[in-house]
Amino acid sequence: MLRTGRPTTLLAAALAATVAAAAPAIAGEGQPSPWQIGFQDAVTPIFHQAHSFHSFLLIIITAIVLFVLALLVICVVRFREEKNPVPSKTTHHTLLEVAWTVIPVLILVVIAIPSFRLLYAQYTPPKADLTLKVVGRQWNWDVVYPDAGELTLTQIMLAPEELQPGQPYRLAVDNTAVVPVNKVVRVQVTAEDVIHSFAVPSFGIKADAVPGRLNETWFKAEKEGVYYGQCSELCGLQHAGMPIAIQVVSEDTYNKWLDAAKTDTEAAKKVLQQASAGSLTSVASR
């Protein structure tokens, strides 16, 4: 029996502190959370599907681990030397050998069905409402809007002294790419020098940026906000200094931003600031 007292109290306090520290880390949207556990929150249909597939796999592998653990415990208890001084000389069991061949195959088939569905959805995008061309180089990203006269935004990581309140360290950039909410965005990815990798976790997208090659992915953001990613390929000395930032806004705000960005990037930033201030005011008045 465990006695209550100072050690137990300290253990309980430590456990409570651990749970409290983990509480904000379990889920993150748009950016990583301290001590994060699991994926960032999904804001696209593809990533919702990936979340479901991940949970399904977690159930299967947990069941397999528990089953194998149970077999090990049975072997240790029933076939220890004290209970079986003379070991069995059985070498073959036809039914058992068939079972341990067929059952894993059936498990793989069960896993393959949702896996193929997810792959098909990832690589069969619906008709795009907007196209972005993303070019990686050492060490920044260029986001090009081909449908807007090749409007180009160069994303460079902000220094610590340049960060505004709420902007994450080593993820915020000087020119955030902007897309409208609930629109299908096709992303064409390439590079100019070495292999990079364009990844935004909350969108569930990741595409290698290979010189001389045009890879493609897509997303449809369901919620407004700023979503961050990073280069996910070891591309050189400043690999950790290649963040990605995409802001999802209403269609009206996007059109205003795009009109301003064609002539003045600073004016375009003010459009986003005004839209953010307006949304905060409307939330506070509710």
Side-chain angles (χ1 to χ4, degrees):
M1 180 188 247
L2 180 65
R3 290 200 221 164
T4 58
R6 183 172 178 79
T8 307
T9 304
L10 291 175
L11 180 61
L15 181 60
T18 302
V19 172
I26 292 175
E29 184 178 282
Q31 59 183 286
S33 302
W35 300 93
Q36 180 175 324
I37 300 172
F39 295 134
Q40 292 182 20
D41 288 347
V43 294
T44 64
I46 287 296
F47 205 31
H48 282 300
Q49 194 172 340
H51 269 252
S52 299
F53 183 49
H54 172 265
S55 300
F56 174 65
L57 284 182
L58 188 60
I59 293 171
I60 291 178
I61 64 176
T62 301
I64 292 172
V65 168
L66 293 177
F67 176 69
V68 173
L69 177 61
L71 290 180
L72 289 173
V73 171
I74 290 171
C75 289
V76 169
V77 173
R78 289 189 57 186
F79 301 106
R80 65 187 188 275
E81 184 179 2
E82 294 84 356
K83 196 164 185 179
N84 291 276
V86 180
S88 170
K89 297 189 180 196
T90 303
T91 57
H92 294 282
H93 191 291
T94 303
L95 181 60
L96 184 60
E97 291 183 3
V98 170
W100 73 38
T101 302
V102 173
I103 291 175
V105 171
L106 293 178
I107 292 174
L108 290 176
V109 171
V110 170
I111 292 174
I113 293 171
S115 175
F116 290 154
R117 285 177 180 168
L118 177 58
L119 284 171
Y120 181 80
Q122 285 178 316
Y123 294 102
T124 311
K127 183 179 178 181
D129 299 303
L130 171 68
T131 298
L132 297 181
K133 182 178 179 182
V134 180
V135 183
R137 60 171 60 87
Q138 294 176 315
W139 284 275
N140 64 271
W141 297 96
D142 273 359
V143 181
V144 184
Y145 290 74
D147 302 328
E150 298 293 319
L151 170 66
T152 302
L153 302 176
T154 299
Q155 296 194 342
I156 298 176
M157 185 180 71
L158 293 178
E161 61 273 11
E162 297 175 311
L163 293 175
Q164 300 298 317
Q167 289 185 316
Y169 175 64
R170 298 192 70 82
L171 285 176
V173 300
D174 55 350
N175 291 303
T176 304
V178 180
V179 298
V181 69
N182 290 320
K183 296 294 184 180
V184 177
V185 180
R186 176 174 57 189
V187 184
Q188 298 175 333
V189 184
T190 188
E192 284 194 352
D193 36 45
V194 299
I195 297 177
H196 302 278
S197 187
F198 180 83
V200 183
S202 283
F203 292 167
I205 61 173
K206 181 177 182 293
D208 285 344
V210 183
R213 179 173 177 176
L214 196 65
N215 286 332
E216 189 171 292
T217 185
W218 71 281
F219 66 89
K220 180 182 177 182
E222 304 167 331
K223 188 176 179 181
E224 295 183 30
V226 183
Y227 300 94
Y228 297 95
Q230 286 178 305
C231 176
S232 297
E233 187 73 44
L234 188 58
C235 59
L237 178 65
Q238 294 297 325
H239 159 69
M242 282 189 66
I244 302 156
I246 299 178
Q247 185 165 353
V248 181
V249 299
S250 67
E251 187 171 4
D252 181 59
T253 299
Y254 170 76
N255 291 331
K256 292 178 181 177
W257 171 86
L258 188 61
D259 288 339
K262 291 176 181 178
T263 56
D264 188 349
T265 56
E266 293 303 317
K269 291 178 182 179
K270 289 181 181 178
V271 170
L272 296 179
Q273 291 172 354
Q274 291 170 357
S276 299
S279 63
L280 290 174
T281 302
S282 63
V283 170
S285 62
R286 289 178 188 173

